[in-house]
Amino acid sequence: MSTVPPHELGYTVGLIVGEGSFFVTIRNDDRYQYNVDFGPKFSVTMGEFSRALLEGQQALYNIGTVNRHSKGYTWVLSSRGDCRRLVELLDGFLAEYEAPEFVLSPKFVAYQKWRAILDLLDSGKELAPDDIRKLARFREEINHISGSGQLSTDQVDAILDEAIEISDCD
């Protein structure tokens, strides 16, 4: 398991349950197959006086960044490597300790779907249209607020339908 003391991991799990957000961005990007790019992300956003606390979390695990946010500060993980490291930490903690505050929370359901998205994205295989549709639907279930520039599930479906139609004509 991690070299981070269990009480520190337990504290982090409590922060995740209370303030964490698992989400996925979907953007139109012609560098990718079907012109769709997915970005799993995680954040903990807290008030104006929480900067040191969040910087402590970032430094403890050496993942993510702490940035100014309209509500105060946010510890955000936006690289797949950082997200994968969080999965390793959480899965290791859950394998060794009971964590009912996490497992019984709605955040755990979001975590499981987010983790499934990350696993599919990191699988090394080329995503088929059905995989992309699945990712879009999982994203819809865990993202409660959509960001600017984000593709909706309907837009993803339309992009895929068009791409499939074009490839059928070739």
Side-chain angles (χ1 to χ4, degrees), residues 22-74:
F22 298 97
F23 57 102
V24 177
T25 60
I26 304 177
R27 297 191 185 278
N28 200 332
D29 190 330
D30 62 6
R31 296 176 297 166
Y32 296 91
Q33 182 181 18
Y34 303 111
N35 299 324
V36 177
D37 178 40
F38 290 85
K41 296 186 185 298
F42 167 79
S43 71
V44 174
T45 302
M46 298 181 74
E48 188 68 33
F49 303 107
S50 300
R51 180 179 183 177
L53 182 148
L54 295 175
E55 287 175 342
Q57 290 292 298
Q58 186 278 329
L60 180 64
Y61 302 107
N62 196 28
I63 56 177
T65 59
V66 174
N67 305 309
R68 190 86 171 93
H69 188 275
S70 63
K71 296 178 183 176
Y73 290 90
T74 187

Side-chain angles (χ1 to χ4, degrees), residues 35-141:
N35 299 324
V36 177
D37 178 40
F38 290 85
K41 296 186 185 298
F42 167 79
S43 71
V44 174
T45 302
M46 298 181 74
E48 188 68 33
F49 303 107
S50 300
R51 180 179 183 177
L53 182 148
L54 295 175
E55 287 175 342
Q57 290 292 298
Q58 186 278 329
L60 180 64
Y61 302 107
N62 196 28
I63 56 177
T65 59
V66 174
N67 305 309
R68 190 86 171 93
H69 188 275
S70 63
K71 296 178 183 176
Y73 290 90
T74 187
W75 173 35
V76 63
L77 283 59
S78 55
S79 77
R80 288 188 190 170
D82 283 352
C83 291
R84 179 58 55 202
R85 176 72 176 126
L86 181 63
V87 165
E88 291 167 4
L89 288 164
L90 291 176
D91 286 356
F93 183 78
L94 291 171
E96 197 160 328
Y97 303 99
E98 288 186 37
E101 67 281 354
F102 184 39
V103 174
L104 297 176
S105 75
K107 294 287 169 76
F108 185 69
V109 174
Y111 169 69
Q112 289 177 308
K113 290 181 181 181
W114 181 80
R115 188 184 190 291
I117 290 168
L118 190 60
D119 287 346
L120 189 56
L121 290 171
D122 286 349
S123 69
K125 72 174 192 159
E126 191 171 295
L127 297 178
D130 286 345
D131 294 327
I132 295 171
R133 290 180 205 280
K134 180 180 179 178
L135 291 172
R137 280 161 182 70
F138 271 3
R139 184 274 315 254
E140 193 174 87
E141 292 173 18

